[in-house]
Amino acid sequence: MRGGEKVVEELCRMFPEAEIFTLVCRPERLSPLLQSRKIHTSFLQKIPGAKRHYTKMLPLMPFALEQFDLQEFDLVISSESGPAKGIITRADALHICYCHSPMRYVWDQFHTYRRGLPWIGRMMMNISAPILRAWDVTTAARVDKFVANSAYVAHRIRRFYDRGADVIHPPVAVDDFKLGEGKGEFYLYAGQLTAYKRPDIAVKACTESGRRLVVIGEGEQEAYLKSIAGPTVEFLGHQSFDSLRDHISRCRALLFPGVEDFGILPVEVMASGRPVLAYDAGGARETVSAPAVGLRFARQTVEGLLGSIDAFEEIEKDMQPALIRQHAQKFSAAVFRERFGKLVDDNLAGHTDAQYRTRA
């Protein structure tokens, strides 16, 4: 139940009769709302280990997506941070793509992902990536309307697909978070422990400075991070939403050293009245947008983060949790529903008019 899944959950509230098509699914990790929906999975689901290692099956994803039969649907919404927009719809259907990101692992994050693989994985990426890039660009033409989750992603859609995109920030369940009380107890890193999110910067910064850090999440870098962590860094692994929410309310600040296309977690932290210390790139420029809610650091290094922590601790006592939470309300689910609902209605009307003119 990360950011992309939470967007799908909100779309299900907006379209209560919608069915879900996905490459693979782990129902036990989903919310009750998503579990209650009719979910179709691809042939990848039947491959042993696919539910845990689906990212290694990237070359098979286009084949799996194109086998979904969507002919009975006149409105298709793809939630895209990989190849989901490549589905084949009915000729007269409207396909709206809510794009969290063009495929990072074949575009701007290609070399980062490649470095983390064994030699056989690097060889496979070298072979498959050019084919996947061509397929990714070609399938952009299957989308009638692109919607980006941030201005940063809209720029990347323009760069890679030469398509414009409206910007609608993803829904954040700000009302699910309670306002933290008093000074926080520790710094927090939460999310996937994967290279491009740069959790190593947070671990090294707190280890070097002797500050207490709680790490929530799991991923391929977990063993490495534990090997470089000092006694002030605590790893909790995967946690339930209630546990995550509790830790957010008790932290001093979220450390956010990676580049995210939007980043729902920083808004959730701000909904708890806690500030965010983020690298000055990507969606953080749109969410951590004022010193009253957090600070951004210019260099994606341990020294850059430590400088931000020092600056934060000088003004920590003056930060007002209620004002931070008020800022987070700009990204609420209600705002998303209003804006995305209007966009769907407008595009359905325009799509119908265009078909009528074509037939006439």
Side-chain angles (χ1 to χ4, degrees):
M1 287 301 298
R2 297 193 295 267
E5 287 74 22
K6 291 177 181 178
V7 170
V8 173
E9 186 177 45
E10 200 60 43
L11 291 173
C12 285
R13 291 191 178 97
M14 296 176 66
F15 303 95
E17 297 181 0
E19 299 178 21
I20 299 174
F21 291 77
T22 183
L23 290 167
V24 294
C25 179
R26 298 180 68 180
E28 71 277 6
R29 290 290 185 95
L30 299 180
S31 68
L33 174 60
L34 292 182
Q35 289 176 357
S36 70
R37 292 309 174 91
K38 186 175 182 179
I39 299 178
H40 307 261
T41 55
S42 72
F43 69 80
L44 299 183
Q45 182 85 4
K46 300 178 182 179
I47 299 176
K51 289 189 287 186
R52 183 171 295 275
H53 301 289
Y54 63 92
T55 56
K56 298 176 182 177
M57 300 179 185
L58 179 63
L60 297 177
M61 290 182 184
F63 301 99
L65 284 163
E66 292 182 352
Q67 288 188 22
F68 283 137
D69 183 0
L70 305 179
Q71 293 304 297
E72 66 177 285
F73 302 102
D74 54 10
L75 171 63
V76 176
I77 300 173
S78 56
S79 179
E80 155 90 352
S81 57
K85 73 179 188 321
I87 43 88
I88 299 173
T89 65
R90 202 171 69 203
D92 61 344
L94 174 65
H95 178 185
I96 297 175
C97 174
Y98 187 84
C99 186
H100 307 275
S101 169
M103 286 195 288
R104 304 179 189 93
Y105 22 83
V106 299
W107 294 111
D108 45 332
Q109 292 288 332
F110 170 74
H111 294 288
T112 300
Y113 278 92
R114 185 180 176 277
R115 277 198 300 271
L117 296 174
W119 71 269
I120 186 66
R122 292 195 297 271
M123 183 179 69
M124 290 301 296
M125 280 199 75
N126 290 341
I127 295 171
S128 63
I131 300 170
L132 285 167
R133 290 188 194 107
W135 181 86
D136 193 37
V137 171
T138 300
T139 55
R142 301 178 187 178
V143 176
D144 296 296
K145 180 67 176 180
F146 273 102
V147 183
N149 70 352
S150 66
Y152 175 67
V153 168
H155 171 75
R156 295 172 68 232
I157 291 171
R158 173 67 71 183
R159 179 180 180 185
F160 299 133
Y161 303 149
D162 196 24
R163 295 284 301 275
D166 289 7
V167 176
I168 298 179
H169 294 127
V172 182
V174 293
D175 293 335
D176 289 349
F177 294 85
K178 61 182 181 180
L179 199 63
E181 299 178 0
K183 182 179 178 180
E185 306 167 23
F186 48 81
Y187 289 99
L188 175 68
Y189 174 91
Q192 284 181 290
L193 304 183
T194 191
Y196 86 92
K197 290 180 179 285
R198 299 306 308 271
D200 59 304
I201 291 178
V203 171
K204 290 177 181 177
C206 289
T207 295
E208 289 185 14
S209 63
R211 291 179 169 95
R212 186 183 174 197
L213 173 69
V214 171
V215 178
I216 294 178
E218 55 190 5
E220 72 273 6
Q221 282 212 318
E222 185 171 352
Y224 164 70
L225 294 170
K226 288 180 177 179
S227 73
I228 63 171
T232 61
V233 180
E234 180 182 7
F235 292 84
L236 300 183
H238 173 74
Q239 294 290 304
S240 67
F241 174 72
D242 287 342
S243 175
L244 174 63
R245 179 172 55 185
D246 174 64
H247 282 86
I248 286 175
S249 70
R250 294 189 291 113
C251 76
R252 295 178 71 176
L254 175 73
L255 305 186
F256 200 69
V259 181
E260 287 286 356
D261 305 303
F262 174 76
I264 285 181
L265 181 64
V267 181
E268 293 176 334
V269 170
M270 289 186 285
S272 298
R274 297 305 189 186
V276 178
L277 308 183
Y279 175 50
D280 186 19
R285 291 182 174 177
E286 298 168 58
T287 56
V288 189
S289 54
V293 301
L295 302 176
R296 301 198 304 264
F297 52 97
R299 293 181 298 143
Q300 196 180 29
T301 61
V302 173
E303 293 74 22
L305 176 55
L306 284 173
S308 184
I309 293 174
D310 290 339
F312 161 69
E313 290 179 354
E314 290 181 5
I315 63 172
E316 183 178 11
K317 65 180 183 302
D318 300 320
M319 304 196 85
Q320 301 181 45
L323 290 180
I324 298 176
R325 181 177 173 82
Q326 183 178 346
H327 172 77
Q329 293 286 348
K330 299 176 184 178
F331 306 96
S332 70
V335 172
F336 173 85
R337 286 194 299 269
E338 179 182 357
R339 296 192 62 201
F340 194 82
K342 184 178 186 305
L343 180 138
V344 171
D345 289 343
D346 290 347
N347 279 270
L348 275 173
H351 193 68
T352 302
D353 290 345
Q355 290 175 342
Y356 176 79
R357 290 194 299 271
T358 300
R359 287 195 294 269

